Amino acid sequence: MTCTTSSGGSVYKYTGRLGQCCTHGAGSYITPTLGIVTTGNGEQIINKLIAVTVANKLPYCADPRAALDACFERNESKMCGFLAVERGDGGVATVHTQHTLTNMVIGL
């Protein structure tokens, strides 16, 4: 299993700032059966370690939204999303996606 992510370039970035893409467990995370990448507000994704938290919650949640919601306190602002690919039996993959903002679009 593998995954990769991109910061989207250097436009509007502060000099010296490191975003979620290079922060292990925030912008991306892998297990032997799951690869996950995130998008959205970098500071929130880093502070909540969204990728690793969702990866750990996803197997125990009824749906991808519940896994993402588990990263936050009740009524806390959520400004992120994720895409995860889970390898199943027989090489069959399941894609899990969720986002929290109306201007985020996930297409497969």
Side-chain angles (χ1 to χ4, degrees), residues 5-79:
T5 187
S6 170
S7 67
S10 60
V11 177
Y12 305 116
K13 303 291 194 271
Y14 296 109
T15 301
R17 178 188 179 273
L18 299 176
Q20 74 267 17
C21 291
C22 62
T23 306
H24 180 70
S28 62
Y29 188 75
I30 61 168
T31 71
T33 59
L34 181 78
I36 183 169
V37 295
T38 63
T39 187
N41 180 284
E43 282 68 24
Q44 186 175 70
I45 291 169
I46 293 167
N47 290 333
K48 300 286 185 178
L49 290 174
I50 297 293
V52 70
T53 304
V54 168
N56 289 330
K57 301 281 186 187
L58 196 58
Y60 307 102
C61 290
D63 59 48
R65 181 58 187 241
L68 186 57
D69 286 346
C71 299
F72 298 92
E73 300 295 326
R74 183 179 293 217
N75 298 322
E76 185 177 6
S77 175
K78 303 172 185 122
M79 300 178 289

Side-chain angles (χ1 to χ4, degrees), residues 93-104:
T94 302
V95 176
H96 305 279
T97 64
Q98 188 60 59
H99 60 86
T100 61
L101 299 172
T102 58
N103 64 343
M104 287 185 180

